[in-house]
Amino acid sequence: MAAACATASSAKRGGDYLFVWASDADKEQSDFLAVLDAKTGNVISTALTGTKGGVAHHTEHRMPEGGMLFANGFGAGRTWVFDLRHPTKPTVAASFGDAGELMHAHSFERLPNGNVLATYQMGDHNNETPGGLAEISPHGRILRTSSAADPSAHTFIRAYSLAIVPKLDRVVTTTSDMHSKGVAETIQIWRLADLKLLHTIPLPPGPRGKEHQDSAEPRLLPDGRTVMVNTFNCGLFRIVGLETDTPSAQLVHDFGAGECALPVVSGRFWVQTGTGLPGLVSLDLSNPSMPRVVDRLKLGSGEEPHWISLAPDGQRIIISSGHKALESKLLMARINPRNGKLALDKNFSVTFDRLAWPHGNSGPAIPHGAVFSR
């Protein structure tokens, strides 16, 4: 398995540019998408949304085929679709807000048909009800929706992120509230064909008593059937029996104290952000029920990572946070696809704490979602 994964990664090309979604630091100027040279970090061009203080948050986790990138301004409750078919000349192709009763899109994944499946956090303006899922065309047209509300669950639910499992006709969503209104302890499983909610299942607590709280990011492993889920409280779970009538979750690893946000999967390796280190942890998932730590990359004091995304070559990882010492910075790490070892690229360090941009002297910005070009 390891040799096959390494061969697939080395065969890939691309990643010449970085697309970085950023908010104006003082919220007096427009949010924007910046195009960077992925080798030098030089800013090549920008595309403005025309919205101030929109809180640039998540983009898609990787650059999709077709050249259209979704990026949400969570504070504004809007999502922008950037046309990146000409990578150095980005433009805004569309924007959209609510999907029926669903509000505040958060995360996006591509469906096999090229459409986007998005999680929406809320079902009303006061955040009293769960959001759900929406299928959206590549140009931002809402096609169908499904609510995450589950009266039989009797638990707090706010759809956060998602993984699509075409082989099993399933979607897995996590549940955490961006507004911290409640503590979530579940994930949800849906049928992909009709977006019917099938199960709301609890995550079992571990020795620390909170590893199961606030599920963050589900990821599909290369076998196309196995889904792993990390929580913001740094537990890692394997979903067992995903296609059955009795799915469950198994705690397989505890990253320890701190906050664990986005991971990436590179071959058989799971790379996890963690603020407790602070830095990245690499796990070998050859046996998903028994992960093995292969490396830890410690960043500088206060450099607490939140967002990471993997390059098409399977080796470069872009790092951002929007907080503390990484508020305005981007870092680059590298993973060895053969052994999972991590290293910081000391030749790459980018700051958005600057006056001048291609669109004018709008001043410092805060980067968040960032992906490599295909």
Side-chain angles (χ1 to χ4, degrees):
M1 179 178 176
C5 291
T7 301
S9 293
S10 62
K12 293 180 180 178
R13 294 293 184 266
D16 292 335
Y17 304 103
L18 280 165
F19 305 127
V20 184
W21 181 218
S23 299
D24 182 64
D26 60 13
K27 300 181 180 180
E28 295 296 324
Q29 305 293 328
S30 174
D31 299 335
F32 61 90
L33 187 83
V35 180
L36 278 61
D37 184 309
K39 291 183 179 179
T40 65
N42 291 336
V43 178
I44 299 171
S45 54
T46 53
L48 303 177
T49 65
T51 296
K52 302 175 183 178
V55 188
H57 193 53
H58 280 211
T59 62
E60 296 180 63
H61 297 131
R62 66 203 68 80
M63 186 65 203
E65 295 180 0
M68 298 292 180
L69 180 69
F70 280 45
N72 85 60
F74 192 81
R78 293 199 67 77
T79 295
W80 281 266
V81 183
F82 289 96
D83 185 343
L84 298 167
R85 289 174 292 183
H86 301 286
T88 61
K89 298 178 180 180
T91 60
V92 175
S95 71
F96 59 90
D98 302 346
E101 295 182 351
L102 306 182
M103 305 175 66
H104 290 267
H106 187 272
S107 294
F108 314 99
E109 287 289 346
R110 291 283 164 158
L111 291 160
N113 64 8
N115 290 335
V116 172
L117 196 59
T119 53
Y120 275 75
Q121 278 262 287
M122 307 183 310
D124 65 276
H125 286 283
N126 296 321
N127 193 21
E128 296 292 340
T129 54
L133 289 176
E135 181 175 353
I136 307 166
S137 77
H139 290 273
R141 184 165 62 91
I142 307 300
L143 302 175
R144 57 174 173 159
T145 63
S146 186
S147 173
D150 186 350
S152 67
H154 304 293
T155 188
F156 183 81
I157 296 169
R158 294 295 182 271
Y160 187 81
S161 190
L162 72 161
I164 299 170
V165 192
K167 284 185 179 180
L168 302 180
D169 191 28
R170 293 292 184 267
V171 179
V172 176
T173 58
T174 53
T175 177
S176 291
D177 187 11
M178 285 283 290
H179 296 99
S180 302
K181 189 165 186 173
V183 175
E185 299 179 344
T186 61
I187 63 165
Q188 294 186 301
I189 298 173
W190 315 63
R191 188 163 54 217
L192 176 58
D194 58 2
L195 298 187
K196 180 182 179 180
L197 177 61
L198 300 176
H199 309 282
T200 299
I201 64 173
L203 299 179
R208 288 193 291 119
K210 60 180 182 179
E211 297 93 328
H212 63 304
Q213 294 178 349
D214 293 327
S215 52
E217 297 289 340
R219 292 292 184 270
L220 181 64
L221 298 191
D223 66 2
R225 305 174 69 90
T226 304
V227 173
M228 311 291 287
V229 176
N230 73 282
T231 67
F232 281 110
N233 280 292
C234 295
L236 181 65
F237 294 81
R238 179 181 183 179
I239 310 307
V240 180
L242 180 57
E243 73 278 24
T244 71
D245 293 332
T246 57
S248 62
Q250 173 190 17
L251 177 63
V252 297
H253 188 75
D254 179 8
F255 291 99
E259 179 182 280
C260 295
L262 272 79
V264 295
V265 176
S266 180
R268 72 180 192 273
F269 301 105
W270 178 283
V271 181
Q272 181 66 57
T273 58
T275 62
L277 191 57
L280 307 181
V281 179
S282 175
L283 298 181
D284 186 332
L285 292 184
S286 295
N287 181 350
S289 293
M290 298 183 64
R292 179 174 62 87
V293 176
V294 294
D295 205 7
R296 292 181 174 88
L297 174 62
K298 186 172 183 178
L299 302 179
S301 177
E303 292 184 337
E304 299 183 354
H306 181 92
W307 175 280
I308 53 176
S309 184
L310 186 69
D313 60 19
Q315 299 180 42
R316 291 170 294 162
I317 301 171
I318 190 65
I319 305 169
S320 74
S321 173
H323 303 287
K324 296 187 177 181
L326 281 182
E327 180 180 56
S328 60
K329 292 171 63 177
L330 296 169
L331 301 177
M332 186 89 73
R334 292 181 178 268
I335 181 170
N336 186 317
R338 294 181 296 277
N339 58 27
K341 295 292 185 179
L342 300 167
L344 190 66
D345 185 341
K346 296 183 179 180
N347 294 319
F348 184 95
S349 182
V350 174
T351 180
F352 275 36
D353 185 7
R354 49 185 284 171
L355 172 65
W357 298 93
H359 58 262
N361 294 338
S362 60
I366 300 174
H368 198 86
V371 297
F372 290 87
S373 60
R374 293 184 65 86

